[in-house]
Amino acid sequence: MSRVMIVEPLPLMRQAIAQVMQRLGHEVVAEVENGQEALVHARSDGPELVVLELAIEGLGGLDLIRRLKLRDPALQLLVYTGQSSSHFARLCVQAGADGFVNKHDEPLELERGLQAVVHGRQYFPRESRRAPTPVGGKELDTLSARELTVLELISEGRSNQAIAEQLSISYKTVSTYKTRLQEKLQVDSRLALATIAQRNGIGSSGVATLAESESKAEHLQDPTQQALMRAMLEASPNPMFVRDREGRLLLCNQPFLAWHHASVERVLGGRLTDAFWFTAEEGQRYQARYDELLEKGQAFTNQLDIEFLGEPHFMRFWIEPWRDAEGNVQGMVGSFEDLTDRQILLGQLRDAHEHAQARYREVTGFAHVVHDDLLEPLQRLQTSLAAVEVPLPGQHALRTITQRLAQLQRLLNLDQQRPPLVPAQLDITRWLEARLATFSAQLSKGFVAPTLEIKEVTARQLWIDGERLGALFDCLLEHLSEAAPMAPLRINLATRLQLNGAVSLNLAITLCRPLEHRRGIALQLCRNLTQSMDGSFRVVHENGETAFLIGLESAAAL
């Protein structure tokens, strides 16, 4: 007989299956409750036959089948599950299982399935061997195994985080699966996904504990649907409720009770016209709107300012119909979220932004005044000194003032006029070599020419605004040469072609000594020029050097 491993999350069910195995003469070598433990014991205990439930934690059952078969193709796998045979039997065949028995079948089916698998035969429902014909039509026929698993967990009321933890995937991946499910099934909510799963026999909705009266929920006559509703409400962090066709409150969760400062006994069974948190006029208006949406079978969402218990609130809410197995509208499910604090914070941020903008305009206006006030006297001074032999220090000081005013004018124009980029094709290596050669030729005696190192250049032809990049490059080199004329400058260039066809350009200009004055018009102009090209400009001080790191992104040119 076979060495058997049982993979089943429920202890009582594991015990029952083990008794059947022992009665048939098999040896149970491992009993585990999740997919991760199953992989470990498959290696350590060497089972020859695995009996597993699909709805397990750690790994989906279908993923576990594939991994076990990949590790040991001779391993015999019998699926014993409560999941829908119409969908999952076919997927188990594709995953590599040897047999499939539904827990809702008569008990002898398990023994028949075991006998067949142990003797090397396959044991599957007949419909799984033919073309798939899912219950309720072909609406689930386009879903992958992992999508069906996520749909099943959604139908059980699991949150995205809970699903991520169970399947050992990221929260973002779960959101992607949920979005894909909504697109394929043409719905726009978790509840609608859960309803489709229930209609197709997928999911084993567990009943979550809610603080509401059991007797008030008697209108939800279908136990499976009732469990589904409870699980959905319990999983929601926001207030959530279920109302019947007359608007009576059937179910609600704890956040709903906490928001209304009410007990279960006080709110369940009441219509919107009975709600103490509305005025009589509001209750009638909301009840009429509810009846209208119910009659049309329409979902509704909105954001609005309301007054609740004498206090103003900004709320976002949604409501949509829930239907029975035949598709008839039985009532509405809804939820709401208080966005008041967020709205207040947004208002404060807007006020702060407007204040900062006003302050910035004030500073910019003052800079214009300073520029205009200094420009005319400077021009008169230059005219007066044209016929006089000015000593070299004076010439240098005059040239520096003129250069700073020109930089200030360009900085103000860049900020106020926001000139558009004018990209053109550019060989960045040749362009940089030529630019550097021109700059070095203009250096005075005693100045150290910069050195250029080109490495990791995977793309040379760029589509970039060469004039603006040149202004940035010249401005920074001129500033560093003036600040430290005898200090060497080291320039490094690197480019990388990205998968989307863009090219990342990284230019590092390093002054081989600490820079004493790290602020000024020139550096601010360099920073603004970089930002105007949607790039980054950083200054790093380490190992006795000051490095200016410029990062840009451009399109590759042919």
Side-chain angles (χ1 to χ4, degrees):
M1 286 303 181
S2 301
R3 294 165 54 84
V4 180
M5 177 172 66
I6 301 171
V7 186
E8 166 62 52
L10 299 177
L12 289 177
M13 184 61 70
R14 285 200 301 271
Q15 182 179 354
I17 297 173
Q19 290 176 354
V20 173
M21 296 296 111
Q22 293 165 359
R23 180 166 54 82
L24 295 177
H26 300 291
E27 178 188 0
V28 178
V29 296
E31 296 182 30
V32 299
E33 64 179 9
N34 60 60
Q36 298 293 355
E37 292 181 2
L39 292 176
V40 173
H41 284 275
R43 291 191 295 268
S44 62
D45 298 327
E48 300 166 317
L49 170 65
V50 177
V51 179
L52 74 152
E53 164 66 67
L54 293 178
I56 54 176
E57 295 186 354
L59 286 173
L62 294 169
D63 288 339
L64 178 60
I65 293 172
R66 293 190 185 93
R67 296 195 187 191
L68 290 174
K69 277 292 189 179
L70 185 63
R71 178 184 174 276
D72 183 6
L75 183 65
Q76 296 167 327
L77 291 165
L78 175 64
V79 176
Y80 188 49
T81 180
Q83 303 306 314
S84 168
S85 303
S86 303
H87 297 287
F88 285 97
R90 172 176 53 87
L91 293 172
C92 288
V93 172
Q94 297 170 356
D98 299 288
F100 184 100
V101 177
N102 196 295
K103 289 179 180 178
H104 300 293
D105 295 338
E106 60 181 63
L108 286 178
E109 278 296 300
L110 175 59
E111 296 186 21
R112 296 189 186 108
L114 284 168
Q115 292 292 340
V117 171
V118 167
H119 287 87
R121 302 191 305 273
Q122 289 194 333
Y123 193 85
F124 286 96
R126 290 186 177 181
E127 59 266 22
S128 65
R129 304 174 186 271
R130 301 192 301 266
T133 55
V135 177
K138 294 186 177 182
E139 59 185 341
L140 302 187
D141 204 21
T142 60
L143 303 186
S144 66
R146 178 50 65 91
E147 288 169 346
L148 273 173
T149 301
V150 173
L151 178 63
E152 173 190 356
L153 295 174
I154 288 176
S155 74
E156 295 175 358
R158 308 287 185 93
S159 65
N160 283 12
Q161 186 61 43
I163 296 174
E165 293 172 357
Q166 175 158 340
L167 300 182
S168 300
I169 57 180
S170 69
Y171 180 93
K172 185 176 180 180
T173 302
V174 177
S175 298
T176 301
Y177 276 120
K178 184 173 76 71
T179 302
R180 195 180 301 166
L181 284 168
Q182 290 176 341
E183 291 175 351
K184 287 187 175 182
L185 300 178
Q186 299 181 358
V187 295
D188 58 1
S189 71
R190 293 175 66 92
L191 179 62
L193 289 175
T195 302
I196 290 176
Q198 177 196 356
R199 184 165 65 241
N200 287 273
I202 291 180
S204 54
S205 302
V207 179
T209 301
L210 287 175
E212 85 280 356
S213 168
E214 298 291 340
S215 61
K216 294 293 183 65
E218 60 185 3
H219 297 275
L220 292 172
Q221 297 177 358
D222 185 346
T224 304
Q225 190 171 56
Q226 185 175 352
L228 169 64
M229 290 294 187
R230 293 172 187 269
M232 290 292 295
L233 267 62
E234 184 67 15
S236 173
N238 296 323
M240 196 169 178
F241 58 88
V242 180
R243 293 185 180 274
D244 65 8
R245 290 190 60 85
E246 286 70 41
R248 289 190 296 267
L249 186 64
L250 301 182
L251 295 175
C252 64
N253 58 4
Q254 283 291 353
F256 183 94
L257 297 174
W259 169 258
H260 293 95
H261 306 284
S263 64
V264 172
E265 294 75 18
R266 187 178 183 186
V267 298
L268 286 186
R271 305 176 76 231
L272 289 166
T273 51
D274 304 322
F276 66 87
W277 51 88
F278 294 141
T279 65
E281 181 182 350
E282 289 173 337
Q284 292 175 359
R285 184 169 70 251
Y286 293 140
Q287 182 67 50
R289 181 59 171 155
Y290 179 90
D291 295 340
E292 178 185 351
L293 294 172
L294 187 76
E295 184 66 26
K296 296 180 179 179
Q298 290 181 343
F300 182 73
T301 182
N302 196 10
Q303 295 184 13
L304 74 165
D305 293 295
I306 66 169
E307 185 173 305
F308 181 77
L309 300 179
E311 296 182 356
H313 291 270
F314 182 74
M315 307 292 293
R316 175 172 61 200
F317 66 91
W318 61 264
I319 187 171
E320 63 178 58
W322 59 271
R323 305 172 187 270
D324 60 16
E326 287 73 34
N328 300 316
V329 178
Q330 298 299 307
M332 304 288 276
V333 179
S335 179
F336 56 88
E337 183 180 4
D338 187 0
L339 304 179
T340 306
D341 292 342
R342 187 184 307 177
Q343 198 72 0
I344 293 174
L345 179 59
L346 288 175
Q348 293 173 343
L349 291 175
R350 283 194 296 268
D351 292 342
H353 177 71
E354 292 176 0
H355 177 74
Q357 288 289 93
R359 179 62 179 164
Y360 185 76
R361 288 192 295 270
E362 180 181 342
V363 172
T364 304
F366 178 74
H368 269 293
V369 172
V370 171
H371 175 271
D372 295 341
D373 282 353
L374 293 179
L375 182 61
E376 185 179 354
L378 178 62
Q379 291 174 343
R380 289 201 303 268
L381 179 61
Q382 289 175 328
T383 302
S384 301
L385 295 177
V388 180
E389 185 175 349
V390 180
L392 287 178
Q395 294 179 14
H396 177 71
L398 195 61
R399 185 168 58 253
T400 300
I401 295 174
T402 304
Q403 185 183 63
R404 293 291 181 271
L405 284 177
Q407 292 171 347
L408 178 60
Q409 181 63 54
R410 179 154 196 167
L411 181 63
L412 295 172
N413 291 341
L414 187 66
D415 180 70
Q416 292 190 337
Q417 299 177 7
R418 302 183 184 276
L421 294 172
V422 185
Q425 185 168 342
L426 194 71
D427 186 317
I428 188 61
T429 302
R430 293 182 180 177
W431 178 89
L432 188 58
E433 291 172 343
R435 202 91 188 186
L436 191 57
T438 301
F439 176 80
S440 300
Q442 297 174 350
L443 289 175
S444 303
K445 186 177 180 180
F447 283 67
V448 179
T451 59
L452 175 63
E453 180 180 352
I454 298 176
K455 60 180 181 179
E456 299 180 6
V457 176
T458 59
R460 294 179 51 164
Q461 300 294 329
L462 308 183
W463 192 254
I464 198 168
D465 190 328
E467 181 181 352
R468 196 166 303 189
L469 181 60
L472 165 62
F473 184 74
D474 293 346
C475 180
L476 185 55
L477 288 191
E478 289 172 1
H479 176 74
L480 296 179
S481 297
E482 290 178 3
M486 302 304 296
L489 275 176
R490 188 173 65 251
I491 301 174
N492 298 91
L493 170 68
T495 65
R496 182 169 59 88
L497 183 62
Q498 302 179 24
L499 294 177
N500 61 1
V503 178
S504 60
L505 167 66
N506 295 289
L507 187 64
I509 301 178
T510 304
L511 179 66
C512 301
R513 53 161 287 184
L515 185 64
E516 297 179 0
H517 303 290
R518 301 172 185 174
R519 294 184 179 181
I521 297 175
L523 292 183
Q524 188 61 46
L525 176 59
C526 292
R527 182 172 286 103
N528 285 25
L529 284 168
T530 307
Q531 292 174 353
S532 71
M533 292 185 285
D534 295 326
S536 62
F537 185 90
R538 296 190 300 121
V539 184
V540 178
H541 311 281
E542 59 182 9
N543 301 325
E545 297 181 337
T546 302
F548 295 84
L549 308 179
I550 301 168
L552 298 171
E553 186 172 292
S554 74
L558 299 178

